[in-house]
């Protein structure tokens, strides 16, 4: 996995860039790329290792975004960040055309919460030569949180990721381009999410770099009782747990705080390894 080893430390911090219009802005068609660029600049100044740009909200109940609208949202943002900042960009999309355009514009990773299941996505990902994060989810954003059920959530998540990784390698995507992601909050109850967090080492043990995204999600709220705007401490704690358990990347909103946590984890790990 060259992109992970060459350009970014492990564990690395990935900052979420909102290229989906907030409901208060211009009625939802376009994003102000300057706003996204200034978000990204602040994150780079705070020490972020990746930025994750997405044009389609994948929250529970979210409706699909037309292709042209997704392109109109993410392309100007990717262009601006790639031109102005020296930070690897991951593109949060399930659309093959958006993957191809993103690769042309300089992204370094495809972050597809649907694990390349859309028609043409495997070919697009393969042709771009980029790293690909595959993620477990149960159901679709519209309904996935209605009644998530598993006989054994850890085994089922691992089974899905292992099968998908094998399928993608058989389709010509080299294994060293893949990342595993358990998909916190994507068709899971609070209990399911906590089992996956507590047992993250078992996912890390599969050998692929693991990406964990728990920042501000309902699992943090479920444990702490905090509303979404007060979930930074819980999110940093969850990211720190994931990093200590071997996650290679944590996807977060609170970059400055999580960068400090990552630095603590890296420092102790380096010092500890000196003693051996
Ligand atoms: C794009 N994307 C998302 S969006 C959901 C989200 O952040 N909700 C949310 C954000 C803020 C507050 C409450 C919920 N989550 C993941 C993830 O866990 N892994 C990977 N790889 N990509 C991801």
């Amino acid at each position: 996995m060259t992109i992970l080893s060459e350009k970014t430390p492990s564990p690395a911090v990935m900052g979420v860039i909102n290229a989906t219009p907030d409901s208060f802005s211009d009625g939802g068609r376009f994003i102000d790329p300057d706003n996204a660029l200034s978000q990204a600049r602040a994150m780079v100044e705070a020490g972020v290792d990746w930025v994750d740009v997405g044009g389609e909200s994948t929250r529970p109940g979210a409706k699909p975004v037309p292709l042209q609208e997704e392109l109109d949202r993410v392309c100007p943002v990717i262009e601006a960040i790639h031109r102005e900042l020296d930070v690897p960009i991951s593109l949060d999309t399930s659309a093959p055309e958006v993957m191809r355009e993103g690769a042309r514009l300089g992204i370094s990773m495809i972050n597809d919460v649907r694990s390349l299941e859309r028609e043409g996505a495997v070919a697009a990902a393969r042709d771009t030569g980029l790293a690909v994060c595959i993620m477990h989810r149960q159901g679709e954003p519209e309904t996935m949180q209605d009644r998530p059920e598993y006989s054994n959530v850890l085994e089922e998540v691992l089974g899905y990721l292992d099968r998908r990784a094998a399928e993608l390698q058989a389709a010509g995507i080299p294994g060293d381009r893949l990342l595993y992601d358990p998909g916190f909050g994507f068709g899971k109850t609070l209990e399911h999410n906590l089992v996956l967090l507590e047992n993250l080492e078992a996912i890390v043990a599969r050998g692929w770099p693991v990406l964990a995204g728990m920042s501000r999600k309902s699992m943090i709220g479920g444990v702490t009782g905090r509303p979404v705007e007060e979930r930074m401490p819980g999110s940093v704690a969850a990211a720190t747990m994931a990093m200590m358990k071997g996650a290679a990347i944590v996807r977060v909103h609170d970059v400055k705080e999580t960068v400090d946590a990552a630095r603590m984890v890296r420092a102790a790990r380096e010092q500890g390894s000196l003693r051996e």
Side-chain angles (χ1 to χ4, degrees):
M1 176 48 83
T2 49
I3 179 66
L4 285 196
S5 45
E6 274 161 23
K7 293 178 75 169
T8 60
S10 182
V13 177
M14 172 184 279
V16 177
I17 298 290
N18 277 322
T20 51
D22 54 30
S23 47
F24 317 108
S25 72
D26 61 357
R29 277 280 306 160
F30 299 100
I31 309 307
D32 171 6
D34 293 344
N35 174 281
L37 179 61
S38 58
Q39 280 177 50
R41 183 173 281 113
M43 290 180 173
V44 168
E45 280 159 17
V48 84
D49 303 299
W50 287 89
V51 294
D52 189 42
V53 175
E56 178 192 24
S57 169
T58 43
R59 290 177 187 228
K63 57 189 188 306
V65 169
L67 172 61
Q68 192 52 51
E69 187 161 334
E70 188 177 353
L71 285 164
D72 293 345
R73 288 178 182 177
V74 300
C75 294
V77 171
I78 293 166
E79 282 175 312
I81 293 172
H82 188 62
R83 182 178 59 245
E84 303 289 329
L85 302 171
D86 179 23
V87 63
I89 301 168
S90 88
L91 175 52
D92 158 17
T93 187
S94 299
E97 302 87 344
V98 181
M99 294 173 189
R100 292 181 186 278
E101 188 57 26
R104 273 192 286 276
L105 296 175
I107 64 171
S108 298
M109 182 192 309
I110 293 166
N111 177 24
D112 181 5
V113 299
R114 294 181 182 82
S115 301
L116 305 179
E117 287 173 9
R118 284 260 170 89
E119 183 67 33
V122 174
R126 182 183 55 223
D127 296 349
T128 62
L130 294 174
V132 180
C133 179
I134 58 174
M135 193 193 81
H136 174 272
R137 81 192 187 290
Q138 189 182 76
E140 289 302 323
E142 295 82 2
T143 57
M144 65 188 177
Q145 288 308 113
D146 294 351
R147 272 178 52 74
E149 276 185 15
Y150 299 82
S151 54
N152 178 318
V153 63
L154 179 63
E155 292 313 315
E156 291 183 43
V157 166
L158 280 170
Y160 171 81
L161 291 169
D162 290 345
R163 274 192 310 281
R164 196 61 186 144
E167 288 162 2
L168 295 178
Q169 290 177 86
I173 296 178
D176 66 357
R177 287 209 222 130
L178 296 178
L179 291 87
Y180 270 20
D181 185 328
F184 290 105
F186 284 83
K188 283 99 175 174
T189 62
L190 172 60
E191 292 71 22
H192 295 139
N193 288 314
L194 294 174
V195 166
L196 291 169
L197 174 55
E198 181 59 11
N199 293 282
L200 202 70
E201 294 95 335
I203 302 176
V204 171
R206 284 309 210 259
W208 274 280
V210 170
L211 193 158
M214 296 173 277
S215 179
R216 300 187 186 171
K217 289 185 178 177
S218 63
M219 66 183 283
I220 307 294
V223 170
T224 63
R226 305 290 186 192
V228 63
E229 63 277 2
E230 294 175 30
R231 290 177 187 166
M232 181 274 285
S235 300
V236 173
T240 304
M241 290 173 67
M243 291 188 285
M244 292 175 74
K245 289 169 178 284
I249 303 177
V250 288
R251 178 181 179 274
V252 304
H253 301 83
D254 304 292
V255 166
K256 176 170 174 282
E257 295 81 1
T258 313
V259 163
D260 284 358
R263 286 172 177 164
M264 292 305 299
V265 171
R266 288 183 214 133
R269 198 170 280 170
E270 275 149 30
Q271 189 60 40
S273 64
L274 295 179
R275 284 174 43 82
E276 281 148 15

